[in-house]
């Protein structure tokens, strides 16, 4: 999903994992955020970052960099700087 920019599929997997009570981790979220970045979906990338905080999943440099890049591509610099 990440490499092909298939952000819809990536988001579906994240929420299916949550519904199935499968443990979500930093790597899984990073891939989904990167898919959103590649698909130029800054709002969805930012939603995943907030979901990580809510779920108490650690955000790393890769995840944050992809989210900032997604916001930048969407012209959302205020969001990127938060």
């Amino acid at each position: 999903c990440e490499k092909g920019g298939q952000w819809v599929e990536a988001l579906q997997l994240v929420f299916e994992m949550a519904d199935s009570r499968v443990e979500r981790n930093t790597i899984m979220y990073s891939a989904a955020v990167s898919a959103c970045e590649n698909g130029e979906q800054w709002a969805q990338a930012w939603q995943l970052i907030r979901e990580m905080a809510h779920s108490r999943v650690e955000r790393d440099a890769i995840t944050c960099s992809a989210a900032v890049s997604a916001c930048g591509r969407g012209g959302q610099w205020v969001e990127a700087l938060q």
Side-chain angles (χ1 to χ4, degrees), residues 2 25-35 52 60 62-64 66:
E2 172 190 354
N25 60 34
T26 304
I27 295 169
M28 185 269 321
Y29 273 110
S30 291
V33 170
S34 291
M52 288 178 79
D60 64 6
I62 294 168
T63 310
C64 292

Side-chain angles (χ1 to χ4, degrees), residues 7 11 32-50 66-80 82:
W7 62 273
L11 289 177
V33 170
S34 291
C36 291
E37 172 196 7
N38 292 333
E40 298 183 4
Q41 300 297 316
W42 72 269
Q44 284 75 13
W46 202 244
Q47 177 186 355
L48 288 169
I49 292 293
R50 288 192 303 267
V68 167
S69 179
C71 289
R73 286 183 181 189
Q76 302 298 317
W77 290 106
V78 172
E79 293 290 339
Q82 291 184 358

Side-chain angles (χ1 to χ4, degrees), residues 5-25:
Q6 296 174 323
W7 62 273
V8 173
E9 291 83 355
L11 289 177
Q12 286 175 338
L13 286 172
V14 169
F15 295 118
E16 285 175 14
M17 290 176 75
D19 291 343
S20 300
R21 299 187 189 266
V22 174
E23 183 178 347
R24 295 161 289 165
N25 60 34

